[in-house]
Amino acid sequence: MDIKSYNQFCSELAHTMHVVQWGGSHVWKIGGKVFAIAGEDKDGSFRCSFKASELAFDILKEQPGCQGAPHLASRGMKWIQRFSDDAVDDEALKDYLRESYRLVSLGLTKRLQRELGLNQS
């Protein structure tokens, strides 16, 4: 995956907002809350961070090409940074991004969830 395909994928999720902040990171939000952060290193390699369930976090942080997301995991947050596709290919990354979007949307107020038409049974 690269920045262009990452941005395209995230833009297709409902009610998302894109900003570039924190030194050029491409940040995607739902209801004002961050669910994905990505950027490219000086050598052009792609890095992407996302929120994960506790189980996924525990598994992924031990996989090649993944680590606890800097500045987030160190604060006890369950965020993973994928820096290569050694263990998580692009299709799996899309699944994790969808799950991050879902997890973050669950943390929005019930009112905002209703306004956005999210998480309704």
Side-chain angles (χ1 to χ4, degrees), residues 90-108:
D90 289 350
E91 288 308 307
L93 177 58
K94 288 177 183 179
D95 289 339
Y96 284 115
L97 290 170
R98 280 186 204 96
E99 178 64 2
S100 180
Y101 171 92
R102 188 188 74 79
L103 290 169
V104 171
S105 72
L106 290 173
L108 301 175

Side-chain angles (χ1 to χ4, degrees), residues 3-13 28:
I3 285 293
K4 184 177 178 180
S5 57
Y6 159 82
N7 284 332
Q8 178 62 42
F9 175 78
C10 290
S11 74
E12 294 169 0
L13 299 171
W28 283 90

Side-chain angles (χ1 to χ4, degrees), residues 73-92:
S74 63
R75 296 182 188 165
M77 298 176 176
K78 304 299 182 193
W79 278 71
I80 289 292
Q81 182 181 73
R82 180 243 199 189
F83 54 89
S84 79
D85 61 1
D86 291 345
V88 177
D89 65 17
D90 289 350
E91 288 308 307

Side-chain angles (χ1 to χ4, degrees), residues 26-43:
H26 291 256
V27 179
W28 283 90
K29 301 178 182 185
I30 175 69
K33 303 288 185 181
V34 175
F35 73 90
I37 306 166
E40 291 180 336
D41 292 334
K42 291 178 184 178
D43 66 1

